[in-house]
Amino acid sequence: MSDVGAASVYDVNSAFAGTIERVEVRAFGCLLEDVLGLVDETEVTKYHRYTWQKLINDCTISEVKYCPSFSDILAELNIA
């Protein structure tokens, strides 16, 4: 497993809060990728694998400022 997050406590009202959260979202995406890599393809439907892969791609986009927030991720997971 990997953990490439900032591992920090921050004021959610600070000017940097959004950036810090998106760095953590990127780390979350890396963790999801590691976990999905451990799951045998026969143990998950194509729809769910596609959904998780899309979430991984969204979270690990090269420009962190375009990563979703954790609120966005929760909303997406509640839909899926």
Side-chain angles (χ1 to χ4, degrees), residues 7-77:
S8 60
V9 177
Y10 60 94
D11 178 1
V12 296
N13 298 313
S14 76
F16 301 107
T19 301
I20 293 170
E21 179 178 1
R22 281 168 170 77
V23 169
E24 292 297 332
V25 164
R26 188 174 190 331
F28 176 70
C30 292
L31 176 65
L32 287 179
E33 186 172 36
D34 287 348
V35 171
L36 186 61
L38 297 173
V39 177
D40 189 283
E41 287 194 27
T42 62
E43 295 183 29
V44 65
T45 66
K46 287 182 182 182
Y47 169 79
H48 285 101
R49 183 166 289 277
Y50 169 81
T51 301
W52 282 92
Q53 190 59 59
K54 181 183 178 314
L55 181 57
I56 291 165
N57 293 345
D58 290 347
C59 291
T60 58
I61 195 164
S62 60
E63 287 197 52
V64 174
K65 67 182 178 183
Y66 296 120
C67 289
S69 67
F70 279 117
S71 295
D72 295 335
I73 292 168
L74 286 173
E76 184 69 27
L77 291 175

